[in-house]
Amino acid sequence: MILKTNFLYKHALALFIYTSMDFPIPLQNPILLAPMAGYTDSPFRCIARSLGAGMVFTELISADGIVRQNKKTLDLLTFTPHERPLGIQIFGNDPNIMQEAACRLLSLKPDCIDINCGCCAPKVCNNGKGAGLLKDVELLYRVVSAVVSSVPVPVSAKIRLGFTQGTKNYCEVVDALKQAGVAFITVHGRTRDQYYSGKADWEAITQIASSANVPIVGNGDIYSYDDAMEKLKSSGCAAVMIGRAALGNPWIFCGKTPSLQEKRDMVVLHYKLMIEHYGTYGVILMRKHIVHYCKGFPGASKLRQELIKCHHIEEIFKILDLQFL
């Protein structure tokens, strides 16, 4: 995708420069965008970076698909220079395939390769991938060490506290990841069987951060910029990561409260970037984002229903213009 607008960088806010002696990648901001399947594509990553996200990650990408050169999989690897620093997140449970996939990614020069050990989707973890790796720490170690030993870029891992509430094994998992040589670890403070229910356990994240001897990125239940800064300070993490709360609110990375007009302009920009990236099908793919952006608009429910029925960008702009007359 080639950006045809200077909007992103013209409107980017100046942020403090964040430095950590331990973090392997220079960050302008210790608040990162989490990888989210179906959401953290190139357009959304560009927007998040422009509003201050210190680092962004691709959606989780199948190592098998990379090795097989599956077109849909390879399309997920598309990114622009505006998104750096960028991590490419891969998943799988075969050390050889993960190693080969990681090596194939080097031509893209990612800032890091992240290994997903926390995805709770049944189609992923029921096959022993994603969070399924938490049930076999020896295999997890072999997968991660195979990648670390084969690439010159930082390798990280994203984990949960365990597969179930009754089998929390994060201490053992973190030790295995350290021995495998990861550059940093992202910890989502829930178990796989919690999905996104209940509360993230920041006491466990704090415990890990205090004893891991590798940088820890905390993730879970961060709903605002102030939440992020408080958890960063109280947990001792090197950085924190925001996922669902960034949907429809990319300003969360800089703490700005946007006006309704700014939200309207962002919706327009996001549509334009989606069409630039996906063609006209970007209008359809944008629908899932509209559900989130419309929160806070006058008559949000009616507006949302009108926008998700649209198939052409002209219809969308007409509805938005009427909304703000």
Side-chain angles (χ1 to χ4, degrees):
M1 177 179 71
I2 300 175
L3 293 179
K4 299 176 183 175
T5 173
N6 290 323
F7 183 99
L8 290 175
Y9 285 88
K10 186 169 68 174
H11 291 266
L13 299 180
L15 293 164
F16 65 90
I17 299 298
Y18 170 79
T19 57
S20 169
M21 294 297 290
D22 298 323
F23 208 80
I25 299 163
L27 301 176
Q28 290 182 310
N29 183 358
I31 308 176
L32 318 183
L33 173 66
M36 291 181 285
Y39 286 97
T40 54
D41 55 8
S42 184
F44 189 65
R45 295 192 305 260
C46 281
I47 289 170
R49 280 289 291 131
S50 77
L51 289 171
M55 185 174 179
V56 297
F57 292 81
T58 66
E59 308 172 51
L60 76 167
I61 298 174
S62 165
D64 293 302
I66 293 170
V67 171
R68 295 196 314 267
Q69 297 287 281
N70 177 274
K71 185 182 183 304
K72 288 186 178 179
T73 301
L74 298 181
D75 286 346
L76 296 174
L77 295 170
T78 304
F79 66 92
T80 74
H82 306 301
E83 297 163 49
R84 293 188 183 276
L86 174 133
I88 296 178
Q89 188 185 76
I90 60 175
F91 73 95
N93 62 357
D94 183 312
N96 294 325
I97 291 176
M98 290 287 282
Q99 183 179 61
E100 183 177 348
C103 290
R104 286 174 180 259
L105 294 177
L106 293 179
S107 63
L108 300 176
K109 299 181 180 178
D111 295 287
C112 91
I113 294 173
D114 187 60
I115 300 174
N116 184 293
C117 307
C119 178
C120 54
K123 66 180 181 180
V124 174
C125 62
N126 286 353
N127 292 318
K129 302 172 184 177
L133 284 170
L134 301 176
K135 296 193 293 183
D136 189 340
V137 179
E138 181 182 347
L139 176 59
L140 180 149
Y141 168 80
R142 289 194 289 115
V143 164
V144 176
S145 60
V147 175
V148 171
S149 65
S150 63
V151 297
V153 300
V155 175
S156 59
K158 190 167 191 286
I159 69 170
R160 286 186 172 234
L161 298 179
F163 198 77
T164 69
Q165 290 276 56
T167 58
K168 291 182 181 179
N169 60 343
Y170 55 86
C171 291
E172 184 182 0
V173 168
V174 168
D175 283 344
L177 292 173
K178 285 164 50 181
Q179 292 174 33
V182 294
F184 64 95
I185 303 169
T186 301
V187 182
H188 183 103
R190 290 181 172 86
T191 55
R192 183 267 172 182
D193 62 350
Q194 284 183 279
Y195 286 83
Y196 297 98
S197 65
K199 291 185 178 181
D201 186 349
W202 275 87
E203 288 186 10
I205 294 173
T206 300
Q207 176 196 343
I208 294 168
S210 68
S211 60
N213 297 322
V214 296
I216 299 298
V217 179
N219 176 223
D221 292 353
I222 298 177
Y223 301 114
S224 68
Y225 179 84
D226 289 342
D227 273 352
M229 299 312 292
E230 188 281 324
K231 285 183 169 63
L232 185 71
K233 181 179 179 181
S234 64
S235 68
C237 288
V240 293
M241 183 177 278
I242 296 177
R244 292 169 294 161
L247 300 177
N249 182 27
W251 298 271
I252 196 171
F253 297 104
C254 61
K256 178 181 174 61
T257 300
S259 66
L260 285 176
Q261 184 63 46
E262 286 172 321
K263 290 190 74 171
R264 181 264 182 203
D265 291 343
M266 183 58 72
V267 170
V268 170
L269 171 66
H270 203 154
Y271 266 114
K272 288 180 177 178
L273 293 178
M274 292 290 278
I275 292 169
E276 203 168 273
H277 189 68
Y278 295 106
T280 56
Y281 190 55
V283 173
I284 307 300
L285 293 176
M286 182 66 184
R287 289 174 178 174
K288 58 180 174 281
H289 289 283
I290 282 297
V291 171
H292 299 281
Y293 276 120
C294 281
K295 294 174 183 175
F297 279 112
S301 178
K302 183 173 183 261
L303 176 63
R304 183 169 58 247
Q305 290 303 315
E306 290 180 353
L307 288 174
I308 64 175
K309 292 176 184 177
C310 293
H311 289 82
H312 304 287
I313 193 69
E314 293 79 13
E315 299 174 76
I316 291 159
F317 290 169
K318 183 178 180 180
I319 290 170
L320 288 172
D321 287 341
L322 287 172
Q323 176 78 10
F324 284 87
L325 284 177

